[in-house]
Amino acid sequence: MASETWLIAGLGNPGSRYRHTRHNIGHMVLDELLERMDAKYTRTKFGAKAVTARLGAGGPKVVFAVSEGYMNLSGKPVRGLMDYFSVPTQNLIVVHDELDLDFGRVKLKRGGSEGGHNGLKSITSHLGGDRDYLRVRAGVGRPPGRMDSADYVLQKFSAAEQKELGIFISRLADAVELLVSEGLPAAQNAVH
């Protein structure tokens, strides 16, 4: 039987320079979830900030975490927390930016390729190639013209996007909660 403990990892980069960039949307979603629960992170020995809480009254135990390192090094802290809390791969939810979805779109899936996303590549690598984790894909859209994708995701959201960002973050946080409480098929039906 699968463990009731879940790990929700919000991907991003550390420091104020990256705080409100497209690549840090995973951090923003976890900040929203912690605000809803009036919870605060503490530092761990795994190179991540984390907090453990129950999601909803009588809900499952959930570890909310963000790496204190850069995106392409996300796998080591995620794996450390999974091992420490005995979280199986199928109970890992990774919230990340997605270039292949227009801004504001939310897609949920289990497994699949990493699509060039270095944070996902790092996690999959540290899980020994196991891709059977859940992903909350936060659409940030493609870069304009010939702009490099890496430069684009490290920029702040446009003025037009910033007007909708709060609603988008809230929808992403709702999707995470649904994944844990209702499971993937029901969450996909509600979100897609």
Side-chain angles (χ1 to χ4, degrees):
M1 184 165 167
S3 166
E4 283 195 52
T5 304
W6 291 78
L7 172 60
I8 301 169
L11 298 190
N13 286 313
S16 58
R17 175 181 175 203
Y18 301 106
R19 181 174 298 271
H20 298 290
T21 64
R22 292 177 178 93
H23 222 23
N24 274 38
I25 198 159
H27 283 196
M28 294 177 213
V29 173
L30 263 71
D31 288 347
E32 168 70 17
L33 288 164
L34 266 59
E35 188 175 309
R36 291 178 181 187
M37 297 181 304
D38 196 27
K40 300 214 181 304
Y41 292 118
T42 58
R43 285 198 154 141
T44 70
K45 62 183 178 182
F46 305 105
K49 296 185 296 186
V51 63
T52 305
R54 295 271 173 196
L55 195 58
K61 179 179 173 182
V62 179
V63 180
F64 299 86
V66 294
S67 172
E68 291 189 292
Y70 288 98
M71 176 77 73
N72 60 343
L73 303 175
S74 300
K76 186 175 181 182
V78 166
R79 181 59 190 251
L81 288 164
M82 288 175 71
D83 290 346
Y84 183 80
F85 289 101
S86 300
V87 177
T89 304
Q90 64 267 19
N91 283 16
L92 169 63
I93 299 172
V94 179
V95 184
H96 65 91
D97 58 312
E98 179 61 63
L99 289 168
D100 290 332
L101 295 174
D102 291 337
F103 173 80
R105 299 248 353 250
V106 180
K107 287 284 187 182
L108 310 176
K109 76 173 194 171
R110 178 181 298 281
S113 82
E114 293 81 17
H117 195 289
N118 289 330
L120 296 177
K121 286 180 183 179
S122 177
I123 291 169
T124 299
S125 173
H126 279 83
L127 296 179
D130 189 350
R131 293 181 167 103
D132 194 35
Y133 53 92
L134 293 160
R135 295 116 188 255
V136 177
R137 302 166 65 211
V140 296
R142 284 264 167 210
R146 295 179 185 213
M147 180 184 284
D148 182 67
S149 295
D151 293 336
Y152 177 71
V153 295
L154 295 177
Q155 289 184 350
K156 296 186 184 308
F157 290 93
S158 71
E161 290 168 340
Q162 287 180 28
K163 290 178 184 175
E164 304 297 322
L165 189 57
I167 294 167
F168 185 30
I169 298 292
S170 183
R171 286 183 50 235
L172 288 158
D174 291 346
V176 170
E177 290 178 341
L178 278 170
L179 272 174
V180 174
S181 64
E182 305 293 329
L184 180 61
Q188 285 174 322
N189 285 338
V191 172
H192 296 174

